[in-house]
Amino acid sequence: MSDDRGGTPPDLWNTVDDLWKRLEADQPVGGREGLLLRMLKLSEEVGEVSEAVIDATGQNPRKGITHTWDDVEAELCDVVITALVALRTLTPEAREVFARHLARVAGRSLPPGA
């Protein structure tokens, strides 16, 4: 898989770190309030997934179908990116924290040997 520019795929965690650095450098509100606002951004992105699903299925009769399932995929990706950047905001060891948590979830959710 390559990036949108046709080059090599970006390294997930290096890209998360780069996004975090950019947000840290340009944030208008810092400290605890800035941290809380970063976490709230995740709720905004989840809301955009909901809107895309509603609009991809035509559930709003006034609007009809205004989104596609590709739009839903893109919004889900935004949720994942936002969550990873939020995790990086909480800890510089985001990669390790996520790997440990994923292993715990897999251990309790997947059959042995999966």
Side-chain angles (χ1 to χ4, degrees):
M1 177 165 39
S2 65
D3 65 18
D4 285 344
R5 296 175 304 262
T8 59
D11 175 83
L12 174 70
W13 289 106
N14 287 340
T15 303
V16 168
D17 281 340
D18 290 345
L19 291 168
W20 171 79
K21 288 173 191 170
R22 179 178 167 267
L23 289 172
E24 287 294 301
D26 294 335
Q27 69 177 335
V29 178
R32 184 173 174 89
E33 187 177 355
L35 173 68
L36 296 174
L37 290 169
R38 181 90 36 96
M39 301 305 136
L40 287 175
K41 179 69 175 165
L42 188 53
S43 293
E44 176 192 353
E45 296 296 342
V46 170
E48 291 176 9
V49 171
S50 298
E51 178 182 13
V53 169
I54 288 167
D55 293 343
T57 58
Q59 292 303 302
N60 184 339
R62 182 178 54 81
K63 289 182 176 180
I65 295 176
T66 60
H67 285 71
T68 67
W69 289 104
D70 288 342
D71 296 324
V72 175
E73 289 175 3
E75 296 299 346
L76 285 169
C77 289
D78 286 347
V79 169
V80 171
I81 293 165
T82 302
L84 292 175
V85 171
L87 180 61
R88 174 59 185 87
T89 300
L90 290 176
T91 177
E93 287 83 35
R95 179 187 311 229
E96 294 80 10
V97 169
F98 184 77
R100 283 193 307 269
H101 189 76
L102 182 60
R104 281 193 300 272
V105 170
R108 71 176 182 247
S109 301
L110 297 175

